[in-house]
Amino acid sequence: MSDVGSADTRDEEPPRRAVRLVFAYEGDEVRLLSRARIEKVLPQSDQSADALNFRGTWSEVRDADGVTLDRRVLVDPMPRDAEVFPEQLGEEISREPVERPSGVFTLLVPDLDGADHLAVLSNSPGQAGVRAAESGPTELVRVDLTTGGEAQP
Amino acid sequence: MTTSDGSVLGRTTIVDRGSPAECWNLVFLGDGYTSTQLAQYATDVNNAASVLLNTPPFNGRRAVINVFRVDVSSTDSGADDPVACGGSGAVRRTYFDATFCTNGIQRLLTVDAATALAVAGAQVPEFDAVLVIVNSTVYGGSGGAVGVFSLAGNATEIAIHELGHTAFGLADEYMYYRGCGSGETDRDHHPPVEPVEPNVTIASTRAGLKWRDLILSSTPVPTMSNPDCAQCDSRPSPVPTGTVGAFEGAHYAHCGAYRPEYGCKLLTLGTPFCAVCQRRIRQVLPTTVPHVRELRVAQAVKLVRGAGLVPKLVGPQQHGSWVWQQSPKAGAIVASGSTVTMRLRSGPIP
């Protein structure tokens, strides 16, 4: 057996740059709290909502022409309830509605050449601020990706 | 009760498996630990990390999981415990402002999640998940952008359940919202909308199930149907534990939604993750590239697929072909689903 490293091929490396974004939400208002460029290899892009035939919330990184470069499905990033846990294992976990939904969520997306902006979209009937499904997904927030990279208020 | 009530002292890598850019990075924060209690905090983090890393499927992916501890001291020990929920009335000055009784629920223990994410991002920019241990023996915890749990027995199970949501996109599998005995009447049928999560579905046929490849041909589908949609189905499982099928009652509905197994950690704490949830977690976690050089093609392809990677063959694919070169190299940590290119030669392996 020969040395493993010396005969390995030199194919193109996957992208190692990413952007972390932190958002705050209150009701149906979503705003960017911070963003930062980091070195990070991410899982591959998700398929579209149409392809997956689902209702939910997702992020899209798009170029200046609006072409989607990356998509990440987000599972209930802005919940309107809270999960309550039993003290004894095996007993029921339950959910309770929250009076004033608010909180934060974070996204990690690849830092791609040609990226222009990031949009968070939803076609979930339960998501605050989402219009009727027949009119297509609602864009909840958009972030310009062409500027900066350090944390921004 | 703000960040003026303590200090961030720095980070310690307690499990180092490689570059944070490539590994999956779990960050522990602590709240309600005074500067003299940080040794206990370190022990508490080690204990929680041990529970997680011994939980399937994390135990099979230890090679790609880094664990960090961020030391944060608080002015006071413990957490707020309002009397409104039957608590002690304690008011504690802590860095992340931990409190029980959020939303009027005693066990709902929360922290300032924005501050927690900011601290985690400053200390470990490549973090994938953040858990906050609160220095209290009162039972409690919560999910969301960060998982929060106390030191009470079994509270670590809350953190692992919440990681299932936050880090791996898994749905709750329970068949009610407020509880089977809550009297709720709006949970009889799931809306006719497919959930995005991989572990619940409205499909009731074998061909329509997201996890159909994990179901034995001998297992009936649906495996269990609820005979009374006005109630939770509390009957025992008709199949052995661990059988993957389609069990009606999931995603907050008595009927019209299915879960993959009778039991799962997304249904009840203290239960292992079901096979579908375990697969999802493995798909999100990075993986290590197997050594396939100088192996026959069939064996190499099996190893690559077994690692959650996609084989790409270049060169003569004929009887006797073997792997001459591979990329990425063996042992490299890569995203699950990545391609492993194998350049082939034929003839005897040298």
Side-chain angles (χ1 to χ4, degrees), chain B residues 299-321:
Chain B
Q299 185 182 0
V301 166
K302 184 177 180 181
L303 282 172
V304 168
R305 286 186 175 147
L309 299 165
V310 178
K312 177 184 175 185
L313 303 176
V314 179
Q317 296 175 46
Q318 56 199 38
H319 182 71
S321 290

Side-chain angles (χ1 to χ4, degrees), chain B:
Chain B
M1 288 179 275
T2 68
T3 54
S4 64
D5 292 320
S7 300
V8 179
L9 304 173
R11 85 174 199 191
T12 300
T13 307
I14 60 174
V15 176
D16 184 358
R17 298 298 187 183
S19 164
E22 296 164 347
C23 289
W24 192 79
N25 305 295
L26 175 61
V27 175
F28 281 96
L29 305 174
D31 200 32
Y33 290 89
T34 64
S35 57
T36 61
Q37 293 176 318
L38 291 178
Q40 181 59 48
Y41 166 58
T43 299
D44 294 337
V45 170
N46 288 344
N47 291 340
S50 177
V51 171
L52 175 73
L53 294 174
N54 283 298
T55 298
F58 298 100
N59 60 348
R61 287 290 176 90
R62 291 181 184 177
V64 300
I65 299 175
N66 288 333
V67 183
F68 299 90
R69 185 189 76 234
V70 177
D71 289 341
V72 181
S73 68
S74 291
T75 303
D76 292 336
S77 177
D80 292 354
D81 193 13
V83 292
C85 292
S88 66
V91 177
R92 303 294 189 229
R93 293 170 294 171
T94 68
Y95 192 87
F96 295 114
D97 198 18
T99 182
F100 292 91
C101 192
T102 302
N103 202 41
I105 301 166
Q106 167 63 7
R107 288 169 287 173
L108 197 53
L109 172 64
T110 60
V111 299
D112 179 339
T115 300
L117 288 179
V119 170
Q123 295 294 317
V124 186
E126 309 88 351
F127 76 82
D128 289 283
V130 179
L131 296 175
V132 183
I133 301 181
V134 176
N135 185 22
S136 169
T137 55
V138 176
Y139 185 84
S142 63
V146 300
V148 182
F149 63 107
S150 71
L151 299 177
N154 302 327
T156 308
E157 279 286 308
I158 296 175
I160 299 174
H161 175 101
E162 287 300 337
L163 277 181
H165 296 314
T166 308
F168 302 103
L170 297 169
D172 284 319
E173 295 186 13
Y174 38 92
M175 64 205 73
Y176 53 83
Y177 188 78
R178 283 184 146 145
C180 285
S182 67
E184 58 192 8
T185 57
D186 58 346
R187 298 288 157 181
D188 294 357
H189 297 279
H190 192 279
V193 175
E194 179 64 23
V196 64
E197 297 92 337
N199 60 322
V200 290
T201 184
I202 60 171
S204 59
T205 62
R206 186 182 297 269
L209 294 173
K210 300 167 182 172
W211 53 84
R212 57 187 173 274
D213 58 308
L214 296 179
I215 304 175
L216 297 175
S217 58
S218 57
T219 302
V221 174
T223 314
M224 199 169 176
S225 297
N226 187 349
D228 182 0
C229 292
Q231 300 182 39
C232 298
D233 187 352
S234 58
R235 296 173 301 164
S237 175
V239 293
T241 300
T243 300
V244 179
F247 297 78
E248 191 168 34
H251 205 227
Y252 322 120
H254 302 152
C255 288
Y258 297 83
R259 61 190 195 275
E261 290 187 26
Y262 185 80
C264 179
K265 199 177 292 295
L266 273 298
L267 178 66
T268 50
L269 302 184
T271 305
F273 285 109
C274 67
V276 171
C277 291
Q278 290 197 32
R279 176 165 70 176
R280 168 65 179 179
I281 292 169
R282 285 193 295 268
Q283 288 171 340
V284 173
L285 291 173
T287 187
T288 50
V289 176
H291 182 172
V292 292
R293 284 190 55 229
E294 300 178 351
L295 295 181
R296 295 293 179 193
V297 171
Q299 185 182 0
V301 166
K302 184 177 180 181
L303 282 172
V304 168
R305 286 186 175 147
L309 299 165
V310 178
K312 177 184 175 185
L313 303 176
V314 179
Q317 296 175 46
Q318 56 199 38
H319 182 71
S321 290
W322 53 277
V323 179
W324 172 52
Q325 294 177 321
Q326 73 171 97
S327 177
K329 66 182 181 182
I333 297 174
V334 297
S336 292
S338 298
T339 298
V340 175
T341 302
M342 295 178 280
R343 301 186 190 284
L344 308 180
R345 284 186 171 176
S346 57
I349 300 174

